[in-house]
């Protein structure tokens, strides 16, 4: 089940909505259930959509045809702006409701720059997230002023798709990542009878300077050359007041009320795109090729890419009206050249197929879905574990063998027993000696030997059920390999807490097949959204979720615990964890952090030693 999310009102014609509509149709033809999520100017569509969400949201995916969900209105679309306007609160709430209610596999967000329906969908999605980027023109506000916020949002993407190599290159300069290029398709309009004279068409979707360049080029053509030009615009179709009389007789300005863009392109022998780079229209160029028109375009990266650096059309330097005029004169005056160039564009038909686009997208979606973990089907083990008693387990804590903790092993064990924990994982920073000591001294509490290892540049990872110390400073992959070599479990702590040293999203995706469990709740995380992000990540990849107090003082121990069946060894532990419940016993974060400071920093070294001795004596007395 797939959701395609566009930031633009569905009733507004633009390249993104065209793309979403076409790929949704083809994906449905391939057997997928597809929901189109879009702002809408139709009160009827918005009203019926919201009623359905609140009564029976599953109905949205019941039809084999793509269903459009109108989530509310946005400010009117501005043709000279690529970004959608600010998003009303009711629109954001509707998007959150539908993404929470539906068991979607993939959410494909198009142009997910904030604020927009796409960015809201990315923030609330619980599915595998794909970001599709289309425009190769720089988003000044989104890319520069909102850069840090956008980078944080983009970190939730599981895959990134760019319509053009130029789009990929632009985005990588602001938001580094792996972008797969999937070129868009184009419909093939039905052409009418051959034109009596060469027909030159410009679709005026670029900046106004492009039209000025074309008109200057047309003035330079020989007076006896036979041609006609049509300028199609979605806006007012009146010629410029400065247009000369000679051009008025040979240039026609039309609008959407006169003819559709597709109908205008169907009449073109030559299609001209003359942007100077401020506002390119690559989709128009692709559609012109799909209409068998010969393309003449300014030499810009995205146009060069589409025209294979001149093999599939002619290129001229931006603003060079003289060079454009030379190309036009050559094509118009030599029908054989024009016919040969048209034959080259026809060979693009298969590449421009929307079926090809849908197939490439489907491949991305299936690759992501294949990375989800599959629960082992060991029914005998599960049946055996059901006979065991339930115990409470804390999977993350420290002793004074960690550099930032002053809790003696004896005190930790006594406190764990007092708080009713049946098992604990001792996970000191880059050290295993505390865990081994705890295992040797434990009585009535099961101890899992662990280590929280600092990798070179990719955050921390915990190894559980290990036997030997793992050195810090290795790569994340090498650290995981060493945990595996020891027969241990790879457990990722506080994975999205930007206040801790954590592997970023992309590094985590690179090792997702080797991650056994993820810490989805850590009470020492100050911003709850980081825990929620971990919950979403674990759910979408079907990775068992764990929890631990991350206690650095005894008072924090057991502030979150896992209620699970008793286990023996890593295999039984993992099976039991899959069926476990997480129970929170909130402790004041400020309180435990203050205690940690007092015990590790505020006391003089002599006082700390004396305090440690007293606490150990009391703990031994409690255990005896």
């Amino acid at each position: 089940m797939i959701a395609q999310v566009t930031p633009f009102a569905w009733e507004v014609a633009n390249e993104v909505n065209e793309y979403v509509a076409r790929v949704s149709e083809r994906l449905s033809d391939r057997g997928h259930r597809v929901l189109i999520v879009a702002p809408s100017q139709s009160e009827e569509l918005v009203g019926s959509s919201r009623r359905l969400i609140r009564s029976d949201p599953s109905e949205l995916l019941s039809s084999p045809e793509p269903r459009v969900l109108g989530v509310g209105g946005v400010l009117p679309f501005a043709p000279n702006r690529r970004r959608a306007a600010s998003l009303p609160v009711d629109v954001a709430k509707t998007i959150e409701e539908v993404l929470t209610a539906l068991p979607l596999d993939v959410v494909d967000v198009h142009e997910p720059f904030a604020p927009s329906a796409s960015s809201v969908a990315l923030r609330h999605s619980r599915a595998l997230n794909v970001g599709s980027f289309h425009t190769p023109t720089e988003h000044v506000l989104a890319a520069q002023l909102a850069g840090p916020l956008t980078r944080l949002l983009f970190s939730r993407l599981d895959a990134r798709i760019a319509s053009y190599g130029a789009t990929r290159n632009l985005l990588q300069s602001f938001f580094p990542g792996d972008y797969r290029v999937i070129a868009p398709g184009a419909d093939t309009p039905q052409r009418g009878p051959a034109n009596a004279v060469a027909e030159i068409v410009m679709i005026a979707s670029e900046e106004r300077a492009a039209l000025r360049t074309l008109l200057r080029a047309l003035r330079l053509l020989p007076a006896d050359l036979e041609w006609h030009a049509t300028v199609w615009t979605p806006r007012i179709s009146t010629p410029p007041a400065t247009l000369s009389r000679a051009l008025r007789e040979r240039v026609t300005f039309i609008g959407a009320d006169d003819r559709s863009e597709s109908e205008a392109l169907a009449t073109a022998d030559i299609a001209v795109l003359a942007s100077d780079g401020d506002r390119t229209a690559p989709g128009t160029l692709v559609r012109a090729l799909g209409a068998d028109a010969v393309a003449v375009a300014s030499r810009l990266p995205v146009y060069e890419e589409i025209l294979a650096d001149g093999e599939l059309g002619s290129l001229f330097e931006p603003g060079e009206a003289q060079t454009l005029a030379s190309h036009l004169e050559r094509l118009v005056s030599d029908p054989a050249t024009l016919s040969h160039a048209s034959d080259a564009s026809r060979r693009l038909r298969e590449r421009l197929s929307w079926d090809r686009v849908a197939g490439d997208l489907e491949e991305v979606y299936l690759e992501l879905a294949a990375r989800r973990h599959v629960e082992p089907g060991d029914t005998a083990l599960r049946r055996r574990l059901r006979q065991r008693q339930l115990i409470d387990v804390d999977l993350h804590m420290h002793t004074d063998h960690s550099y930032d903790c002053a809790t003696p092993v004896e005190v930790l064990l006594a406190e764990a027993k007092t708080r009713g924990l049946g098992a604990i994982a001792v996970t000191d920073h880059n050290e295993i000696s505390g865990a081994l000591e705890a295992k040797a001294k434990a009585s009535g509490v099961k101890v899992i030997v662990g280590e929280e290892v600092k990798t070179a540049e990719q955050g921390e990872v915990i190894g559980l059920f290990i036997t030997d110390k793992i050195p810090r400073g290795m790569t994340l992959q090498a650290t995981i390999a060493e945990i595996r070599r020891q027969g241990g479990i790879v457990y990722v702590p506080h994975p999205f807490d930007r206040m801790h040293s954590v592997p970023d999203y992309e590094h985590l995706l690179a090792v997702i097949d080797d991650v056994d469990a993820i810490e989805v709740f850590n009470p020492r995380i100050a911003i709850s959204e980081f825990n929620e992000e971990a919950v979403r990540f674990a759910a979408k990849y079907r990775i068992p979720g764990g929890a631990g107090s991350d206690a650095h003082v005894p008072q924090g121990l057991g502030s979150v615990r896992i209620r699970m069946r008793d286990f023996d060894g890593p295999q039984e532990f993992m099976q039991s964890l899959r069926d476990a419940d997480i129970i929170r016993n909130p402790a004041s974060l400020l309180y435990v952090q203050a205690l940690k400071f007092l015990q590790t920093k505020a006391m003089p070294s002599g006082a700390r030693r004396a305090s440690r001795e007293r606490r150990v004596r009391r703990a031994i007395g409690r255990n005896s």
Side-chain angles (χ1 to χ4, degrees):
M1 291 182 285
I2 303 165
Q4 299 282 340
V5 188
T6 171
F8 303 113
W10 190 242
E11 296 76 17
V12 175
N14 61 70
E15 292 177 12
V16 174
N17 285 352
E18 174 76 7
Y19 183 102
V20 168
R22 293 294 176 265
V23 299
S24 295
E25 291 168 1
R26 301 309 191 278
L27 288 168
S28 292
D29 292 342
R30 290 168 174 263
H32 300 283
R33 289 286 191 268
V34 182
L35 177 68
I36 297 172
V37 179
S40 175
Q41 298 170 347
S42 167
E43 292 184 5
E44 181 181 354
L45 175 60
V46 171
S48 62
S49 297
R50 288 180 174 172
R51 284 192 295 274
L52 203 54
I53 291 171
R54 282 145 197 172
S55 60
D56 186 11
S58 62
E59 180 66 23
L60 292 167
L61 291 169
S62 62
S63 170
E65 303 296 324
R67 182 89 176 244
V68 178
L69 177 73
V71 294
V74 295
L75 294 178
F77 177 83
N80 61 342
R81 293 181 63 202
R82 291 293 311 219
R83 296 194 311 122
S86 179
L87 209 66
V89 173
D90 61 328
V91 175
K93 182 171 179 57
T94 302
I95 294 172
E96 181 181 3
E97 286 177 350
V98 71
L99 295 184
T100 302
L102 292 178
L104 295 164
D105 296 297
V106 175
V107 174
D108 194 335
V109 290
H110 296 261
E111 306 283 40
F113 296 94
S116 69
S118 295
S119 67
V120 169
L122 182 55
R123 189 162 67 246
H124 293 295
S125 170
R126 298 170 182 269
L128 297 163
N129 298 319
V130 177
S132 291
F133 302 88
H134 305 280
T135 178
T137 305
E138 182 178 320
H139 290 257
V140 177
L141 290 178
Q144 294 180 353
L145 300 181
L149 178 61
T150 305
R151 277 192 289 274
L152 183 61
L153 189 64
F154 284 5
S155 71
R156 295 182 177 178
L157 292 172
D158 301 282
R160 306 180 188 200
I161 294 170
S163 286
Y164 310 99
T167 304
R168 174 198 59 203
N169 297 340
L170 173 67
L171 286 164
Q172 283 180 331
S173 65
F174 290 104
F175 312 111
D178 182 20
Y179 296 81
R180 186 180 307 194
V181 176
I182 298 178
D187 293 324
T188 304
Q190 183 67 40
R191 293 188 67 89
N195 298 310
V197 297
E199 178 71 16
I200 302 167
V201 172
M202 168 175 273
I203 303 299
S205 52
E206 302 168 302
E207 70 276 14
R208 293 182 64 85
L211 177 58
R212 291 195 294 268
T213 300
L214 172 64
L215 295 178
R216 285 200 300 269
L218 294 178
R219 292 190 194 102
L220 296 172
L221 292 176
D224 60 347
L225 196 64
E226 293 189 347
W227 55 269
H228 178 266
T230 298
V231 177
W232 183 92
T233 173
R235 300 181 294 282
I236 300 173
S237 57
T238 56
T242 57
L243 193 65
S244 67
R245 180 176 179 180
L247 287 185
R248 283 179 184 274
E249 295 175 353
R250 306 182 77 172
V251 181
T252 302
F253 286 78
I254 63 173
D257 293 337
D258 305 302
R259 201 181 302 169
S260 69
E261 179 194 292
S262 178
E263 290 170 335
L265 286 173
T267 68
D269 295 306
I270 303 168
V272 176
L273 290 96
S275 172
D276 60 11
D278 182 55
R279 190 168 161 229
T280 57
T284 300
L285 180 54
V286 172
R287 290 190 291 276
L289 295 174
D292 287 340
V294 176
V296 182
S298 47
R299 189 178 289 278
L300 297 170
V302 68
Y303 292 166
E304 289 180 293
E305 177 186 344
I306 295 169
L307 295 180
D309 200 20
E311 291 182 18
L312 303 174
S314 300
L315 296 163
F316 63 94
E317 293 301 322
E320 287 286 344
Q322 181 67 59
T323 309
L324 172 57
S326 298
H327 285 308
L328 295 176
E329 181 179 357
R330 175 176 57 84
L331 292 169
V332 172
S333 61
D334 187 354
T337 302
L338 189 60
S339 176
H340 176 74
S342 182
D343 288 342
S345 68
R346 287 192 189 97
R347 292 194 292 271
L348 285 172
R349 287 288 180 85
E350 186 175 342
R351 280 177 51 194
L352 297 178
S353 164
W354 283 112
D355 287 329
R356 186 266 310 162
V357 180
D360 290 347
L361 285 175
E362 184 182 50
E363 184 179 329
V364 173
Y365 299 160
L366 292 177
E367 284 177 5
L368 284 180
R371 304 200 69 186
R372 287 171 162 171
H373 287 210
V374 178
E375 183 177 337
D378 193 337
T379 54
L381 177 58
R382 177 171 284 179
R383 189 164 50 248
R384 186 167 69 248
L385 287 173
R386 286 197 189 112
Q387 308 305 313
R388 306 269 182 88
Q389 65 174 342
L390 288 169
I391 61 172
D392 286 355
V393 182
D394 188 333
L395 288 179
H396 190 174
M397 65 189 63
H398 300 272
T399 72
D400 57 6
H401 292 246
S402 278
Y403 69 90
D404 60 348
C405 180
T407 304
V409 167
E410 294 84 354
V411 174
L412 184 77
L413 292 172
E415 191 67 28
K417 195 171 182 180
T418 299
R419 292 177 180 252
L421 292 171
I424 59 174
V426 179
T427 55
D428 286 324
H429 293 291
N430 310 302
E431 185 53 72
I432 197 175
S433 55
L436 292 174
E437 182 182 342
K439 187 175 181 66
K441 294 180 176 179
S443 175
V445 178
K446 185 174 297 186
V447 174
I448 300 170
V449 176
E451 179 184 355
E452 188 169 10
V453 187
K454 181 71 174 292
T455 66
E457 297 177 346
Q458 297 142 330
E460 295 171 323
V461 63
I462 288 176
L464 299 175
F465 295 95
I466 59 176
T467 54
D468 302 305
K469 177 180 175 179
I470 300 172
R472 64 174 293 170
M474 297 191 294
T475 65
L476 180 60
Q477 288 84 351
T479 304
I480 287 174
E482 177 58 22
I483 295 171
R484 291 281 190 204
R485 188 192 68 77
Q486 296 187 30
I489 285 172
V490 179
Y491 180 53
V492 180
H494 40 69
F496 302 111
D497 181 12
R498 276 76 185 179
M499 308 299 288
H500 280 82
S501 176
V502 298
D504 61 32
Y505 204 101
E506 288 192 74
H507 283 131
L508 200 52
L509 288 179
V511 298
I512 197 70
D513 296 337
D514 294 317
V515 172
D516 296 305
I518 288 178
E519 187 175 72
V520 297
F521 187 78
N522 181 317
R524 292 187 65 237
I525 291 179
I527 301 174
S528 62
E529 284 78 6
F530 296 154
N531 278 326
E532 292 168 8
E533 194 168 344
V535 170
R536 283 195 296 268
F537 187 90
K540 76 166 82 174
Y541 283 104
R542 299 171 182 168
I543 301 172
S549 63
D550 198 1
H552 288 67
V553 295
Q555 290 83 350
L557 197 63
S559 53
V560 62
R561 55 186 69 196
I562 304 170
R563 187 152 292 166
M564 57 194 294
R565 297 291 175 181
D566 199 1
F567 53 86
D568 184 17
Q571 184 182 9
E572 288 191 355
F573 170 83
M574 284 303 304
Q575 184 62 62
S576 182
L577 184 63
R578 291 184 181 95
D579 299 320
D581 294 318
I582 295 175
I583 300 170
R584 304 181 190 184
N585 298 303
S588 168
L589 178 59
L590 179 62
Y591 172 64
V592 295
Q593 288 295 86
L595 287 175
K596 175 186 172 183
F597 173 76
L598 290 171
Q599 293 178 16
T600 59
K601 302 291 184 183
M603 282 183 165
S605 58
R608 283 201 300 271
R609 285 194 298 271
S611 173
R612 183 186 189 283
E613 291 172 0
R614 288 194 300 272
R615 292 160 67 201
V616 169
R617 284 196 299 271
R618 285 197 296 268
I620 293 173
R622 286 159 59 189
N623 281 328
S624 59

